């Protein structure tokens, strides 16, 4: 645990007892993460980054190159890490923090939280209800509309399509979204038409299909059985730009494989689904 007045607390018994560790820093500490039992990082005010290789017995500073407040830090392993903070601060390392480079998103806002499930795939959340996702280690960032204007303070992902974000005014949002394909030009926010895997899958009797539209347009989402027979039309009409979720209740169908077919803007996506009674 980290906090104000250079506070670091450490437990080795599941939280029954906590001991104080000395950070050696005079700044307010905002976030801590460990890649394993020994390698950990802390970030805080005035661009402070602290690193330990012995489980916190000693902390040494790393150079961030910024003087802004750093709010959150995340490492997927002992080498690959990310930091976010005020004024669009996004920092990335591939050498355990010996060097940090900027990964600008193009958005001039405060980023409060970062979560990566793979060195290439991660999310950042911040002010104004904004969430961005990258699938290429920050070369490009894509907007994931949340429908909220509240500042988002934390994000946690189970896998690439399921997670949660929380924020001001009691906001809690469950994410079952889509990672748009990466754009070829660096440092640009991009979005595309895409269909995410349904969840849950297998399912009984209901499942949710999620898709994303770059712009408003006519969308048709239909369900077919394995013989190619249409069994349901979930939507057939104009949909606004952004993320959409539609539940399919297959209570009237028999067990087996089904195909969800999404058509919009001259594109077509197909998703396999398994109904198991």
């Amino acid at each position: 645990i980290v906090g104000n007045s250079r506070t670091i607390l450490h437990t080795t018994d599941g939280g029954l007892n906590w001991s104080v560790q000395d950070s050696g820093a005079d700044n307010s500490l905002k976030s801590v993460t460990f890649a394993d039992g020994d390698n950990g990082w802390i970030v805080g005010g005035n661009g402070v980054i602290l690193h330990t290789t012995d489980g916190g017995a000693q902390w040494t500073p790393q150079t961030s190159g910024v003087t802004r407040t750093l709010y959150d830090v995340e490492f997927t392993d002992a080498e690959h890490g990310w930091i976010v903070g005020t004024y669009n601060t996004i920092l990335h390392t591939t050498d355990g923090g010996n060097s940090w480079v900027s990964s600008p998103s193009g958005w001039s806002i405060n980023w409060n939280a970062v979560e990566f499930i793979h060195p290439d795939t991660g999310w950042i959340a911040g002010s104004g209800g904004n969430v961005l996702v990258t699938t290429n280690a920050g070369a490009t960032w894509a907007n994931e509309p949340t429908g909220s204007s509240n500042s988002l303070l934390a994000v946690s992902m189970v896998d690439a399509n399921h997670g949660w974000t929380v924020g001001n005014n009691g906001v809690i949002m469950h994410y079952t979204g889509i990672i748009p394909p990466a754009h070829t030009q660096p440092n640009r926010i991009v979005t595309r038409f895409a269909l995410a895997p349904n969840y849950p899958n297998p399912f009984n009797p209901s499942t949710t299909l999620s898709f994303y539209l770059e712009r408003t347009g006519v969308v048709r989402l239909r369900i077919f059985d394995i013989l190619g027979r249409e069994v349901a039309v979930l939507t057939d009409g104009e949909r606004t730009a952004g993320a959409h979720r539609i539940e399919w209740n297959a209570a009237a169908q028999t067990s087996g494989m089904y195909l969800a077919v999404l058509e919009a803007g001259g594109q077509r996506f197909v998703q396999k689904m398994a109904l198991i009674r």
Side-chain angles (χ1 to χ4, degrees), residues 5-79:
S5 302
R6 54 196 283 182
T7 299
I8 303 176
L9 300 179
H10 179 222
T11 182
T12 57
D13 57 10
L16 295 176
N17 297 282
W18 292 88
S19 60
V20 178
Q21 294 181 337
D22 184 13
S23 69
D26 295 327
N27 306 99
S28 175
L29 305 178
K30 300 294 186 181
S31 179
V32 58
T33 189
F34 273 77
D36 51 46
D38 295 320
N39 291 280
W41 292 261
I42 293 173
V43 298
N46 294 318
V48 67
I49 304 175
L50 303 176
H51 180 218
T52 182
T53 57
D54 55 13
Q58 293 182 316
W59 292 91
T60 58
Q62 293 183 332
T63 301
S64 68
V66 301
T67 57
R68 298 165 178 169
T69 298
L70 306 177
Y71 283 132
D72 198 15
V73 56
E74 168 80 350
F75 272 75
T76 57
D77 53 47
E79 302 296 327

Side-chain angles (χ1 to χ4, degrees), residues 190-226:
V190 295
T191 54
R192 291 186 179 182
F193 164 62
L195 174 65
N198 61 298
Y199 182 82
N201 191 27
F203 66 97
N204 179 30
S206 297
T207 189
T208 299
L209 292 126
S210 303
F211 60 92
Y212 187 90
L213 298 176
E214 182 180 22
R215 58 180 62 88
T216 298
V218 175
V219 176
R220 182 162 61 168
L221 178 57
R222 297 179 292 168
I223 308 298
F224 295 85
D225 65 17
I226 199 65

Side-chain angles (χ1 to χ4, degrees), residues 70 98 101 272:
L70 306 177
N98 292 319
V101 297
K272 291 182 179 180

